[in-house]
Amino acid sequence: MEFGRVTEEQLNLVDFTLPPNPDFTLETLRNASNNQPLQVRAGCAKWGRKEWVGKIYPPKTKDANFLDEYVKHFNCIELNATFYQTYGAATISKWKEKADASPDFKFCPKFSQSISHIRRLKNAEEITTAYYEGIMAFGDKLGPLFLQLSDNYTPKSLPELTAYLESLPTDVPVFVELRHKDWFGVPENKEAVFNLFKRLNIGSILTDSSGRRDCLHMMLPTPHAFIRFVGNSLHPTDYSRCDEWVDRIVEWKELGLQSVWFFMHQHDERYSPELCDYVIDKLNQRLGTNLLRPTFISKDDGLSEAPTLF
């Protein structure tokens, strides 16, 4: 993942401190019913990583069996495959069958780029219908949906965004990722879009990357957190940043948070399993959960090209 990437020299200058909770988020959590256990999930963005063969996938695992192996290690996936192609129910059903071995597993499919980046949410009714017809084949394995808007999708398009979100079915949760700086840098825009999300019960995605700290807005219009964490190849700051996220999730739980979806990205994705395992272990310790942790055949230490066996 290249979004928010900085050089090694710049990395040492980044203030990775999480912003404080806005009043908007505190109100959302206070108004939420917290009489049910917090739902906690953590995973990666793709299952098709050849670098994971011999690491968490058995040696000589074929591409066709990567998903069979992935579901043994994580309880969810941020499914980016659906961004590049609209899959029909037949293909989705095959993926679901592979995940049936993990009863609690969830797919979080990204909206097609044909909808978000090419049509830019306009005249996208037919593509949206096809997208939903496909992903509904996940059945009980379907998690929330993920709509990513491009860096050049500006607040001038708020009317189109409003119309599109109002047209979506309400029986499957949707989270939106904003990227253009004017959504966050102009107070009127920020207030308008997050109030829209709150009115429609749409979640907002928190993207924690080194070079775009403005995307870490900490605005929760619903009592559900969808976090996209972008690490830097197991740099020491990756771990301290994850520690701070665990602290914040624990705090939000006490305030009324109902679910958290934590998705691990690295600019070099071969390192994602190690850092995701670190987060899962910390969440289990702090929340008393028993989340599935990846089992390693070999493990990178982040300091050399070769994996370290253990």
Side-chain angles (χ1 to χ4, degrees), residues 145-166:
L145 314 183
F146 163 27
L147 175 63
Q148 180 188 86
L149 301 176
S150 71
D151 302 49
N152 60 16
Y153 195 90
T154 75
K156 292 181 181 178
S157 295
L158 181 61
E160 289 81 7
L161 175 60
T162 301
Y164 186 75
L165 294 179
E166 288 178 339

Side-chain angles (χ1 to χ4, degrees), residues 29-43:
L29 297 177
R30 279 196 298 264
N31 291 336
S33 172
N34 62 349
N35 57 1
Q36 54 187 357
L38 176 68
Q39 180 183 7
V40 185
R41 295 184 180 276

Side-chain angles (χ1 to χ4, degrees), residues 11-220:
L11 181 61
N12 295 321
L13 301 175
V14 176
D15 179 3
F16 283 112
T17 305
L18 290 181
N21 295 318
D23 290 340
F24 180 92
T25 292
L26 293 174
E27 180 183 8
T28 296
L29 297 177
R30 279 196 298 264
N31 291 336
S33 172
N34 62 349
N35 57 1
Q36 54 187 357
L38 176 68
Q39 180 183 7
V40 185
R41 295 184 180 276
C44 300
K46 300 176 181 178
W47 64 71
R49 305 302 309 190
K50 294 181 184 293
E51 310 97 307
W52 299 351
V53 175
K55 174 181 286 195
I56 59 173
Y57 300 165
K60 300 182 180 180
T61 300
K62 296 180 179 179
D63 292 16
N65 300 119
F66 283 175
L67 177 56
D68 303 81
E69 297 301 325
Y70 179 92
V71 302
K72 298 176 183 178
H73 300 281
F74 305 100
N75 67 3
C76 62
I77 187 165
E78 182 200 283
L79 185 57
N80 280 281
T82 52
F83 178 72
Y84 300 102
Q85 181 178 338
T86 301
Y87 292 92
T91 298
I92 299 293
S93 295
K94 291 179 182 178
W95 291 346
K96 177 185 181 298
E97 290 173 8
K98 288 177 177 287
D100 281 341
S102 179
D104 198 38
F105 191 86
K106 299 290 183 183
F107 294 87
C108 300
K110 194 174 185 177
F111 276 75
S112 167
Q113 63 180 341
S114 297
I115 297 169
S116 57
H117 288 57
I118 298 174
R119 295 292 180 90
R120 298 174 67 83
L121 309 186
K122 295 185 290 186
N123 301 316
E125 294 83 4
E126 290 186 11
I127 304 173
T128 300
T129 297
Y131 166 79
Y132 269 87
E133 287 176 347
I135 57 104
M136 293 307 292
F138 279 127
D140 63 357
K141 293 288 188 289
L142 181 62
L145 314 183
F146 163 27
L147 175 63
Q148 180 188 86
L149 301 176
S150 71
D151 302 49
N152 60 16
Y153 195 90
T154 75
K156 292 181 181 178
S157 295
L158 181 61
E160 289 81 7
L161 175 60
T162 301
Y164 186 75
L165 294 179
E166 288 178 339
S167 74
L168 294 179
T170 58
D171 55 340
V172 182
V174 173
F175 287 80
V176 176
E177 182 185 33
L178 302 167
R179 288 189 164 188
H180 193 278
K181 294 181 178 181
D182 286 350
W183 289 113
F184 317 113
V186 180
E188 300 81 30
N189 298 335
K190 187 174 183 179
E191 180 180 6
V193 74
F194 287 107
N195 281 334
L196 168 68
F197 292 165
K198 178 170 283 192
R199 175 172 68 83
L200 298 178
N201 199 34
I202 298 289
S204 63
I205 289 176
L206 301 167
T207 303
D208 187 343
S209 66
S210 304
R212 283 297 306 275
R213 306 308 291 166
D214 55 336
C215 291
L216 197 56
H217 49 76
M218 308 307 280
M219 299 282 279
L220 296 182

